[in-house]
Amino acid sequence: MIYRRLAVVALILVVVLPVLLVLKPGFRGEVGQSPATGRILLPEPRYRGQMSVEEAIAKRRSIREYSNEPLKLWELGQLLWAAQGITSRDGKRAAPSAGPTYPFEVYAVVGNVEDLPPGIYHYVPKGHYLEPVKSGDFRGKLQAAALNQEWVGKAAVDIVLVAFYERTTKVYGDRGIRYVHMEAGHIGENIYLQATALGLGTVAVGAFDDGRVARIIGTTGDPLYIFPVGRRV
């Protein structure tokens, strides 16, 4: 009887485990697109870099000129992780949030990133992956919506922060509006410092037509920030 049970367990391990490895996304090993879901799995974030926090603060500047060299997929993933990535087992994120209510969704308007077709992608912190929203290069349209600021159109990628105020105001009332704006600043500085540490350039853009940007992104939330990112010239 014991041998039969052992044989059944062994059979389950041989048959079931390979299936689970194929059908995940619960298993995060490789990088790339998951055929079953369309998700773009990002490289695992790096927790040690070449530059200290102190040096990144000292070198942080607003950069509006970028080369034509593409960003690497892991660099985009690192920037998105710095913005809203999960940093603890209980789901805490890289930027502080009142509550925590996490009112922001992060989108990447991609034009020049290795191994990633041009398009608009939604970043999902839990799982550290991208969801395709629209295909095609929308940087030109985003530039037009941002009062034709050319760095928006020339950046390799534009990171857009979209707020859903109700997530915070349902807890804190009207005071929550202030908390959402505070959080936008927290996230923005994280993007700045991470870009600096990677040798990239970015600039905070707040001048744009909110409605046009929302329509381009395909969101019902309120866009508050655009961060063009590219390699420094």
Side-chain angles (χ1 to χ4, degrees):
M1 182 67 70
I2 295 176
Y3 291 112
R4 285 185 179 179
R5 290 178 179 175
L6 290 174
V8 171
V9 171
L11 181 62
I12 291 173
L13 290 173
V14 170
V15 174
V16 175
L17 280 180
V19 174
L20 290 175
L21 288 170
V22 171
L23 295 180
K24 57 174 192 21
F27 294 81
R28 288 285 324 283
E30 78 284 2
V31 175
Q33 187 165 6
S34 172
T37 64
R39 299 171 176 174
I40 308 296
L41 306 179
L42 293 167
E44 292 290 344
R46 303 181 181 187
Y47 304 112
R48 293 182 182 273
Q50 301 293 320
M51 186 180 294
S52 69
V53 174
E54 294 84 358
E55 186 177 356
I57 291 172
K59 291 185 174 180
R60 186 216 57 78
R61 295 292 182 273
S62 293
I63 305 298
R64 294 175 174 83
E65 295 184 7
Y66 317 113
S67 73
N68 293 323
E69 186 179 353
L71 262 61
K72 298 183 183 301
L73 185 61
W74 76 263
E75 291 174 321
L76 174 58
Q78 193 72 23
L79 289 161
L80 296 173
W81 172 82
Q84 281 287 275
I86 302 295
T87 57
S88 70
R89 292 183 178 180
D90 61 351
K92 296 294 191 302
R93 299 189 186 181
S97 177
T101 51
Y102 301 123
F104 280 93
E105 297 295 329
V106 181
Y107 292 83
V109 180
V110 173
N112 193 15
V113 176
E114 289 182 359
D115 303 317
L116 189 61
I120 298 175
Y121 298 87
H122 172 232
Y123 175 60
V124 180
K126 187 176 181 181
H128 191 55
Y129 63 84
L130 296 174
E131 291 178 324
V133 177
K134 297 181 180 180
S135 61
D137 190 345
F138 288 86
R139 291 176 298 172
K141 290 185 177 181
L142 193 63
Q143 175 181 331
L147 311 185
N148 207 35
Q149 296 176 76
E150 61 182 20
W151 35 91
V152 174
K154 291 183 177 179
V157 60
D158 292 293
I159 297 173
V160 184
L161 306 186
V162 178
F164 289 82
Y165 286 95
E166 63 274 13
R167 296 181 188 175
T168 305
T169 56
K170 72 180 180 181
V171 177
Y172 296 103
D174 290 344
R175 189 75 173 183
I177 295 173
R178 176 180 296 192
Y179 297 158
V180 172
H181 295 162
M182 289 177 177
E183 187 169 337
H186 304 327
I187 297 171
E189 186 68 1
N190 277 10
I191 293 173
Y192 257 113
L193 294 179
Q194 184 66 83
T196 302
L198 294 175
L200 305 173
T202 190
V203 59
V205 173
F208 50 79
D209 184 316
D210 298 11
R212 289 179 66 183
V213 171
R215 287 190 292 274
I216 291 168
I217 298 298
T219 181
T220 58
D222 293 286
L224 291 189
Y225 254 151
I226 299 174
F227 286 90
V229 183
R231 297 203 182 280
R232 299 186 183 210
V233 176

